[in-house]
Amino acid sequence: GVSMAQAGDTVYVKEGTYYERVKIRNSGTADNPIVISAYPGERPVIDGQYQGGTWDELVHIAGDYVVFEGFEVTRAAYSGVIVDGAHVTIRNINSHHNMGNGIHVSGDYGLVEDCKVWWNSMQNEYGKAPPGAWGAGLTAARYPSHVTLRNNVVYNNWGEGLSSFEASNITIEDNIVYDNWSIQLY
């Protein structure tokens, strides 16, 4: 369904555990985004089972004008969610127990809101990685601009909690960030 979605389409995913990587390449428009959503009242799980190599993401959103909402994303070989597309909204996602970043936005004009991000950057679990070799729970980094990180809860990650670097015009507002290993806000 995701590979066939076009501008204005909504793909609902029923509750269950899905053991696969998800790549969203198609684009919507400003007036008609593509919506990939949990079926109302349900929370499907995308579980990577730690399969893949270094830098592999479990959910990769490369299309523009996409809304991704209502999922649990866990056990990625590296990042749980990576966003390269522009005008992408990540909403109500639980991202946890991923080897690298929980959610990483590098596309322009992104929005991450109402997410819970915990126990990510597991490559450094209990401080085992060399200094600086860890990721973040939630980050807008690697040259995005005009990204908003709002109303998220970010805690118990094994690197930075919430970060923004090599970025411009980033808005970070009304988040709760605590008990992260390296630093709370980077």
Side-chain angles (χ1 to χ4, degrees):
V2 169
S3 65
M4 297 175 61
Q6 299 298 315
D9 287 347
T10 297
V11 176
Y12 286 113
V13 180
K14 294 290 287 174
E15 195 163 68
T17 301
Y18 299 88
Y19 300 103
E20 60 188 285
R21 291 173 63 195
V22 177
K23 294 192 182 277
I24 303 168
R25 294 185 175 104
N26 296 355
S27 293
T29 66
D31 293 330
N32 293 297
I34 293 173
V35 178
I36 311 298
S37 179
Y39 190 80
E42 298 184 2
R43 183 169 299 276
V45 176
I46 301 172
D47 185 339
Q49 298 179 302
Y50 301 118
Q51 300 296 312
T54 303
W55 308 114
D56 281 347
E57 65 283 333
L58 189 50
V59 176
H60 181 194
I61 303 173
D64 299 335
Y65 295 102
V66 172
V67 177
F68 182 72
E69 61 187 0
F71 290 86
E72 182 171 343
V73 178
T74 188
R75 301 195 317 157
Y78 194 71
S79 290
V81 179
I82 294 264
V83 176
D84 294 327
H87 301 279
V88 172
T89 297
I90 304 295
R91 182 182 297 125
N92 191 23
I93 298 296
N94 290 343
S95 185
H96 62 93
H97 289 86
N98 299 299
M99 294 305 288
N101 300 316
I103 300 173
H104 179 161
V105 179
S106 61
D108 296 338
Y109 297 96
L111 169 63
V112 180
E113 66 180 355
D114 302 322
C115 296
K116 291 183 182 173
V117 184
W118 75 95
W119 212 272
N120 294 289
S121 194
M122 289 180 56
Q123 78 243 18
N124 190 44
E125 192 172 25
Y126 303 106
K128 67 185 173 192
W134 52 75
L138 171 57
T139 187
R142 304 289 185 201
Y143 312 107
S145 66
H146 299 92
V147 173
T148 299
L149 308 174
R150 176 175 55 220
N151 293 330
N152 302 290
V153 180
V154 182
Y155 63 99
N156 289 346
N157 293 286
W158 289 100
E160 287 83 27
L162 190 137
S163 81
S164 176
F165 64 96
E166 298 173 339
S168 61
N169 300 302
I170 306 302
T171 301
I172 298 172
E173 61 186 4
D174 297 326
N175 298 283
I176 298 171
V177 183
Y178 62 94
D179 290 344
N180 296 287
W181 187 80
S182 171
I183 193 168
Q184 307 313 314
L185 181 61
Y186 179 81

